[in-house]
Each structure stands twice: as structure tokens, then as C-alpha cells.
Amino acid sequence: MYLTPEEERIMSGESGPTLQKAMEILVALGDIYEADRLIPIKSAQIAGVSYKTMGDAGLEWISDLDGKVQVPSILNPAGMDLERWQEMGVSAEFAQKQQEIIQAYSSLGIEVQCTCTPYYLQSFSATYGDHLAWSESSAVSYANSVIGARTNREGGPSALCAALVGKTANYGYHLDENRIPELMISVDCELDASDYAVLGYIAGKAAGKRVPLFRMRSTPHRDQLKALGAAMAASGAVALYHVEGVTPESCRKDFELPAEQLTIERTQIDEVYETVSGDGITECDSAAVGCPHCSPEELEEVAAKLEGKVVDNNVWIFTSREVAEFNPRLVERIEKSGAKVLCDTCMVVSPATDKLSHMAVNSGKAYAYLPGMCKVAATIANIEKCMEKGGGSHSD
Ligand SMILES: C[C@@](O)(CCOP(=O)(O)O)CC(=O)O
Ligand code: SF4
């Protein structure tokens, strides 16, 4: 891979060991994937934040770094709400370690916004054609598919290295030829609400890491596209998809209809709704919405479903701290029911989930990940049913 004289100097260690290590990682990736050069990036979204997934080894690695990110950079969800962690039942020992991880990232100039939905943040816009280095799989899918920006599914470390250098290797989804659809998926039924999350769960299994092109009767809005992509990235390894007539690149002239075709039927979707993921021997004892983190519109939907209701069980609504702070009235309406609007974290990466046994979720990603990452069974349903089945909601 070609390096400019400046990049060569960084590689030689002239800018210090941290930047040298970052450059070595970027060059190694570039060589593996036969990139021709490094390209500037507009922003970085860095996974590897929760102490639950990072552990002491991750904390030590980040703490040893000495440098400053060169582009706007934010973090993936942490293992707790950074302010309300005690309400979540997180231990003081975990909280201490989590704060050390956050501090180590902050000392590199990374903004302490811990969210998998950076595209809702006012100061973190991504637009069509931008080259990014994002690592949360749902955020990668959204950036590539809904925005039409360009990012590979970076690992936490490679996203961090790209942020420190301000560049990433030019391969994968940064190149036109790798964004062409490889599998045609027709959906013959009308879809609504959590159907897109279930569709993504089914389609991800079929697509694997290929690029699907959907032909749908319904027209999904941005949050439904978010749910579709998040689920496909979890049940499969889909980092880019297209929806005919909906997503920005679906009308590209160099796209041909993929030879391989499949159809997903309503009966397949209904079957997932009726199937518990994991060992669902018990009734649901909790409910969670916000995987990926809720938009303001999704907070409004939750507030409407909980109007005049109270919940008997754990009900967590996850969103970014900025979206919560910009929508205090929605938070207040939701929390009147006894549900909690939590920031900076989520049901998958927080140890708080470990005390639960069966969670009702409206997310295909959470449905796929909870059994494996939290040893918690999951039932998928729309928001109203999640509140009833998992939250034990009833009229006040
Ligand atoms: C499960 C996931 O959403 C959260 C875990 O991420 P992290 O590696 O703990 O930042 C990771 C992903 O799907 O990209
Ligand atoms: S809420 Fe879902 S999408 Fe966001 S970090 Fe957690 S598991 Fe990933």
C-alpha cells in the first residue's frame, strides 16, 4: 500500500509510539485487503467501551495510548448509565473500572457520547459519500445503507487507530465495486413496526455477509431501516443493504438485479414472534426498547404506549444522552409509568441484564444477542406487546 512521506514518517515513529502503532495496524489491514492507499475519514465511532466486553486487558491497552484523535470521534455504549448506574444495580467495582475506560478514551480527545446511533447527534452528521471509520455493526449498516456513507465494519481498535491518524485503508465498502447487491430478497407482505426487526433477523441468516437488495410492498422510514439493518448485522454479517426505491444507492445505474433471489413470507415472520430465543422456560420478567438506541420519534412512541399505564417489571428504554437531554418531556412522560430511560448503555453490554431471565424486546438484534451475550432468553414483539408481556404494564 502506498504511503505518503508524512505517513512514512509516522510509520517510522517520528510522531511517537502510539501513532506508529496506529499506522502499523492501518497498514497491516490495508495490506491484507489490498488497499492502494489510506484515505481521510470524516469521523470515527469506536466500539470496545463496556468493561463487560473489554475487561482489564482492554482498559490497560487504551490507558497505554498517548495521542489525540484527528477527527470527531465518539464511543459505543458503555456497561452502564454513567450517571444512574446504581439504579441499574451495577456494582461500584464495575462502575470504577468503567469510568477509568471512559477517562482513558476522553484523554485521547474522544467525545464522551456513548451511543450506537451517532447519526442522531447534532454535531456528528454523516452524509452521502462520506468516508468513515465506524465499528458498531448497526451503525455501520445505517451509515452505509440509509445514509449512503462509506465505512467497513471496523473493529474497536482499528476505528481508534483511524481516529488517531485521521485516515483508514481504502478497501471494502469504500469502493464502488463492493457495494453492488448480491442477493435479491422479495417481501410479499405488508410490514409494520417490529416486523422490520424480525425481517432483518430472518434475512441476515440468509444473506450472511452478502449485500442484499430488498423489494418491498411497504416503505420503511429511517427507524424501521435502522431496525432492519441492526438485525441483519446480528443474525448475519450484513454491513450494507439496499431497498428498491428507498435507500440512496438503490437507483445506481451500475446495479444489476442479483441472480440469486429469495422471498420472505409473513408466515416466517409470525414464526419468529412465536419463538423464544434462548432458554425461555420462564415468563418474561423485563422489557427493553432501544437496540439500537431510540430516536426521538421512538421515544414518543414508547411514551404514547405507556400513557396512563404503570409497569410492574424492569422496563428499560435506551437512548443516547443527547437525545434524552433534548427531549426531557418525553423522558418525564415515559418515567411516570415506572419505566426508566437510560443513556450511555444498553441491555446487551451492561452487566445489569445478567440478573434477569427473560426479556421482551422489539429488536431483532437484541433477540439474537441476549441469549449468547447475557444468558437471558428473549421474546420479540412490538412495543405495546413488550410493555404488556415483559413490562407487566396495566392501567394506572
Ligand atoms: C454487540 C455490540 O452491539 C455491542 C458490543 O460492542 P462493544 O464491543 O462492547 O463496544 C457490538 C456490535 O454488534 O457491533
Ligand atoms: S443497543 Fe443494540 S445496537 Fe446498540 S450497542 Fe447495544 S446491542 Fe449494539
Side-chain angles (χ1 to χ4, degrees):
M1 186 172 74
Y2 167 75
L3 292 184
T4 65
E6 167 59 17
E7 291 160 358
E8 290 288 5
R9 278 194 292 276
I10 292 173
M11 190 74 165
S12 70
E14 274 188 31
S15 304
T18 292
L19 268 183
Q20 181 180 29
K21 187 71 193 155
M23 184 60 81
E24 285 169 355
I25 290 172
L26 295 178
V27 169
L29 282 169
D31 289 342
I32 291 167
Y33 294 105
E34 297 176 347
D36 58 350
R37 58 192 162 83
L38 293 176
I39 51 174
I41 56 169
K42 182 172 180 187
S43 67
Q45 189 271 350
I46 298 161
V49 181
S50 170
Y51 180 61
K52 174 179 174 182
T53 54
M54 286 290 282
D56 288 319
L59 170 56
E60 192 181 335
W61 185 75
I62 305 162
S63 305
D64 288 347
L65 300 175
D66 175 20
K68 290 293 178 197
V69 294
Q70 301 302 301
V71 294
S73 305
I74 61 158
L75 297 172
N76 219 26
M80 64 191 197
D81 182 305
L82 298 176
E83 293 176 9
R84 299 172 69 178
W85 53 271
Q86 284 154 311
E87 287 181 57
M88 294 181 74
V90 169
S91 71
E93 294 73 25
F94 183 97
Q96 172 61 35
K97 291 284 190 179
Q98 184 65 75
Q99 292 292 9
E100 288 175 26
I101 290 175
I102 298 294
Q103 183 47 46
Y105 276 123
S106 178
S107 67
L108 299 173
I110 296 165
E111 185 187 352
V112 181
Q113 271 285 351
C114 303
T115 184
C116 45
T117 54
Y119 35 85
Y120 295 145
L121 304 182
Q122 308 277 322
S123 64
F124 207 77
S125 65
T127 50
Y128 186 91
D130 284 345
H131 292 283
L132 314 170
W134 289 12
S135 47
E136 214 296 326
S137 61
S138 67
V140 165
S141 173
Y142 191 96
N144 277 321
S145 315
V146 184
I147 299 173
R150 302 191 164 200
T151 178
N152 289 310
R153 181 171 172 172
E154 299 285 353
S158 65
L160 179 54
C161 293
L164 289 165
V165 174
K167 299 177 181 177
T168 192
N170 188 35
Y171 71 95
Y173 292 118
H174 294 286
L175 306 173
D176 277 350
E177 60 265 30
N178 296 322
R179 301 178 70 87
I180 291 169
E182 299 160 297
L183 169 68
M184 182 84 198
I185 299 180
S186 299
V187 186
D188 282 356
C189 56
E190 295 295 332
L191 297 171
D192 188 21
S194 52
D195 291 343
Y196 289 94
V198 176
L199 171 64
Y201 178 77
I202 298 166
K205 288 187 172 191
K209 58 182 181 181
R210 288 175 293 172
V211 178
L213 168 63
F214 287 90
R215 176 170 288 167
M216 296 183 182
R217 280 199 204 155
S218 312
T219 303
H221 56 60
R222 72 173 190 172
D223 289 332
Q224 291 166 334
L225 290 169
K226 173 181 75 172
L228 173 69
M232 285 196 285
S235 64
V238 175
L240 164 66
Y241 66 90
H242 305 287
V243 179
E244 263 187 345
V246 178
T247 54
E249 290 183 274
S250 63
C251 53
R252 268 177 48 180
K253 298 289 171 272
D254 57 341
F255 279 8
E256 289 170 8
L257 284 187
E260 188 175 345
Q261 319 238 340
L262 73 86
T263 299
I264 293 178
E265 314 273 358
R266 166 52 66 181
T267 51
Q268 292 169 270
I269 293 173
D270 290 343
E271 192 182 327
V272 172
Y273 280 125
E274 286 141 27
T275 306
V276 174
S277 173
D279 300 326
I281 47 172
T282 59
E283 289 297 301
C284 285
D285 59 359
S286 52
V289 170
C291 169
H293 280 173
C294 285
S295 65
E297 294 78 11
E298 288 169 319
L299 289 181
E300 171 59 49
E301 187 181 353
V302 171
K305 298 295 185 205
L306 285 174
E307 208 73 62
K309 300 273 177 65
V310 289
V311 296
D312 292 337
N313 299 341
N314 252 41
V315 175
W316 294 332
I317 312 300
F318 294 103
T319 189
S320 61
R321 184 158 295 281
E322 181 177 296
V323 165
E325 289 175 350
F326 280 21
N327 295 277
R329 182 79 187 95
L330 283 177
V331 173
E332 186 188 343
R333 281 171 57 199
I334 291 169
E335 295 206 332
K336 260 177 75 177
S337 70
K340 291 184 188 299
V341 177
L342 298 170
C343 306
D344 314 317
T345 189
C346 77
M347 73 294 273
V348 170
V349 300
S350 175
T353 307
D354 299 351
K355 66 176 183 288
L356 304 170
S357 57
H358 187 172
M359 187 173 267
V361 295
N362 70 328
S363 158
K365 175 163 185 179
Y367 180 72
Y369 273 16
L370 279 169
M373 289 186 75
C374 305
K375 306 286 177 284
V376 168
T379 290
I380 190 164
N382 64 34
I383 290 177
E384 187 163 15
K385 288 206 177 77
C386 282
M387 295 303 121
E388 290 164 1
K389 284 180 79 165
S393 68
H394 53 85
S395 299
D396 186 356

